Structure formats: structure tokens, C-alpha cells
Amino acid sequence: MCWQSLSELTLNITNGDCAVDALSQAGVIGDILPWRDVLHIGPLLPGDLMGRFEQSRVLFLSQYFKLPASVVSEKFKSRHTLLNDLNQYQTIRLWFEHDLYDQLQLIQIVAFLAECCDPEQLRWVVTDHFIGPAQPSELHELFRFDRPVSKKCIKMAPKLWQALTDDNPMSWSALDHVELSAWPFISQTLARLMAEFPDVNTGLSLTQWLLISALSTSPMSGATLFKAYNKLEWAQFMGDSVFEKELAALTTAKCPLLFIKKDHGCWIKNVFELTPLARDVMVGKKNHVKLNGIDRWIGGAHLKENSCWWFNNEVNQLEQ
């Protein structure tokens, strides 16, 4: 299918507002819906997308980002009108990247669409090229990845989403890995999410480990550290607002792993350095969770001090 033959009766769904702007500038035809949620943080609870699930996300995101719930709720409203009338579209095209942020959104979207639209409507452009910063000519080139979403992937999506929202993350191990191979980048996505559980020896998530590793050679400004951290990721997925939260958590913990060496009043300009404790944690002499506790969600699993799941890197498995 060539770019010029796209129908106006198309719903394009993509990962956020930057991607919407890029697709619009490239002349993509049809309605464009940004999927505004950071699903790798906070609870993913079972429930209707625009009901109980959305309510739980509004509550979490408003608290996490310190925003009025009404502001967060408004961000979700663009979904309602378009998703409640999918019959108006001949094609629903999903534009998503290979990273953790995008792939979790893609699982949720396909799981939702599997229940409420004709599978023949669904197509996707799933790529390891980032959509948001792409030039119009680059997006035209990315259209070569346009494919129908296979029936196998459509059938798989509700199982994937159910596993992610299960309060027992061991349900991930029950997924059929032969079937998973039909979904681009999904094995890497699940592996990356699993590595967010605290390491059994250090108590660090992979995000925390990479952040500390990036800072291990010399002090850095927040902006420089953000760039250094992203270079260590398999695929960049974290926005600066979430990264700021990760920095703050390690700096203000009861037993801090970072400290601000030079305070310029802004995390981007502040210069950070590791504490001696951070180096002990990195080699497994100390455990971050046992020192500082934990209260966080990964998917449907709520990790607390007396009920924590751990990632054993040696056997690539979770354990409790």
C-alpha cells in the first residue's frame, strides 16, 4: 500500500503527543489518537479500559506527578469519543516503537481492540525507529513496516495483558514463548520489564542499576546523567519527568545512594555523585530494598517490604 492511497476513514493510534505532531507534519491521513500513559510505573489493575482501570491510573498519575486529578483525567478523554465509535473507520493503524514504553501500550491497545473491532481493520507499523523525532521523509520510509496485525497476535494480546495485570507475576512464565515470537520485540519487552523487579542481591531495579552505573566514574549534572543512562538502555523509553523521580528517590532515601554535590536549584543542572553506600550496593554487600524498603507496583504486582518479588539474574527468573 502506498502512502498516497491511505483512507481518511483511518484511526491512527500512537504513543504520545510528540508522535502525533510528527505524523501530522508527515501528512498522515485520518484521525490521530495519542495513547497517554506510562504503563511501566504504577498499578495495572484488571478492569474496563475507560472504567475502573482508567480511574486507578488517574489516581496514581495525579499523585505521582503531583497534578490535579481533573488535569490527568482530561488527558484520557481523547480516547473516549474515538474508541466508542470504531465502526466509523475502515482501518485502525497502530504506530509504535520497540521500547518498553511503547510495547506495553501496544499490548493494552491490541487487547482492547481484540474485543471490540473487526480484526480485518487492524494494521500496525512496529519499528525500532523512533517516531517522535522523525522527519516527514523518514516517516514515509517507515511505512514499509505497515502490516496487518496477525490473528495470532490479536488472540495473544488479551493473554499478555491479563498476565501483566495479574497480582502474581509468575503468570508471565505461563505464556507460550513460541506464540510470542510472532509479536515483534515482545520477548525483549517482557525481559526488560521483569528486570525492573529488585535484584535479589543488590535490591536495585535495572533502571536504578544503569543510573548508578552511569554515575560510577565521575559526578555528572542531571542532564548529562540522563543522556548517559539512556545510552545504556537496550531501547530508550524513559521520559525526563520519570527520570527525575528516579533520581529523587535515590537521593532522598533513608539511606541515600546519591547526593547532590552542587545544588543549582534544578535537577537538570544539579551535579550528582554516588554515596559510598551505593558502591557497596552495586557489588551486593548491601541491599537497597532491605535498607530503604519498597512500595511500588510493576504491572499488577504490588511490591512491599513483607511481600516482595525479586529478580534472580543468574537464572533469569522471579522469586519470592
Side-chain angles (χ1 to χ4, degrees):
M1 180 186 295
C2 67
W3 188 273
Q4 290 77 12
S5 68
L6 297 181
S7 169
E8 293 183 9
L9 300 177
T10 296
L11 174 61
N12 300 280
I13 306 178
T14 192
N15 59 32
D17 294 283
C18 289
V20 168
D21 291 342
L23 293 174
S24 297
Q25 291 172 15
V28 169
I29 297 171
D31 293 328
I32 308 178
L33 171 63
W35 208 257
R36 301 183 178 110
D37 205 350
V38 281
L39 299 173
H40 60 281
I41 57 173
L44 305 184
L45 303 179
D48 294 339
L49 174 67
M50 291 178 282
R52 180 173 179 262
F53 179 84
E54 183 174 299
Q55 293 166 7
S56 69
R57 294 301 293 173
V58 168
L59 177 63
F60 166 74
L61 293 170
S62 61
Q63 293 174 345
Y64 184 80
F65 291 111
K66 294 181 171 56
L67 294 170
S70 59
V71 172
V72 179
S73 182
E74 189 66 29
K75 293 288 187 180
F76 285 100
K77 284 187 178 178
S78 60
R79 294 180 181 178
H80 297 188
T81 302
L82 297 178
L83 294 182
N84 281 328
D85 190 15
L86 294 174
N87 290 331
Q88 66 179 302
Y89 300 109
Q90 293 178 348
T91 302
I92 302 171
R93 181 171 284 103
L94 314 176
W95 299 79
F96 284 88
E97 299 153 9
H98 61 314
D99 59 84
L100 179 63
Y101 176 88
D102 275 43
Q103 289 292 309
L104 293 180
Q105 291 185 348
L106 187 58
I107 293 168
Q108 183 187 33
I109 292 164
V110 179
F112 171 79
L113 295 175
E115 305 294 333
C116 61
C117 75
D118 184 346
E120 299 299 322
Q121 288 176 279
L122 296 184
R123 302 184 68 87
W124 63 15
V125 178
V126 181
T127 172
D128 59 0
H129 298 266
F130 290 102
I131 295 169
Q135 296 298 311
S137 60
E138 295 172 314
L139 283 175
H140 283 248
E141 177 65 19
L142 289 183
F143 199 67
R144 71 184 188 276
F145 295 111
D146 178 63
R147 301 283 189 279
V149 182
S150 72
K151 292 180 180 179
K152 183 180 288 188
C153 290
I154 293 171
K155 183 178 179 181
M156 184 193 313
K159 297 177 183 178
L160 278 168
W161 185 247
Q162 184 178 5
L164 290 172
T165 59
D166 197 319
D167 60 6
N168 183 344
M170 290 301 288
S171 61
W172 297 5
S173 62
L175 295 170
D176 187 326
H177 290 276
V178 175
E179 285 189 356
L180 288 179
S181 63
W183 189 300
F185 309 114
I186 199 62
S187 295
Q188 299 96 318
T189 297
L190 295 178
R192 180 63 188 84
L193 186 62
M194 188 179 294
E196 280 303 280
F197 286 85
D199 180 83
V200 67
N201 295 312
T202 66
L204 298 171
S205 69
L206 181 56
T207 293
Q208 293 167 336
W209 170 266
L210 294 178
L211 191 159
I212 291 172
S213 297
L215 197 56
S216 63
T217 55
S218 64
M220 292 182 186
S221 71
T224 302
L225 180 55
F226 185 43
K227 292 177 182 177
Y229 157 77
N230 278 321
K231 288 181 180 178
L232 297 176
E233 278 287 2
W234 164 70
Q236 179 178 336
F237 70 90
M238 189 176 296
D240 55 1
S241 57
V242 177
F243 185 78
E244 179 186 4
K245 295 286 187 182
E246 293 283 353
L247 269 180
L250 294 173
T251 306
T252 62
K254 181 174 64 175
C255 300
L257 302 190
L258 308 182
F259 71 95
I260 299 174
K261 186 175 183 179
K262 295 181 181 179
D263 191 342
H264 297 285
C266 171
W267 77 269
I268 292 175
K269 296 180 180 179
N270 288 347
V271 177
F272 295 86
E273 188 169 0
L274 297 185
T275 64
L277 176 61
R279 299 188 185 278
D280 286 341
V281 168
M282 287 188 74
V283 296
K285 289 183 179 180
K286 301 287 186 179
N287 185 293
H288 174 55
V289 169
K290 293 177 181 178
L291 289 168
N292 290 310
I294 190 169
D295 183 7
R296 64 173 298 198
W297 291 80
I298 300 176
H302 191 185
L303 310 186
K304 296 176 287 187
E305 288 183 69
N306 60 352
S307 179
C308 189
W309 290 90
W310 304 87
F311 179 60
N312 189 326
N313 188 54
E314 293 183 2
V315 295
N316 197 35
Q317 289 181 352
L318 296 176
E319 55 188 51
Q320 196 171 30

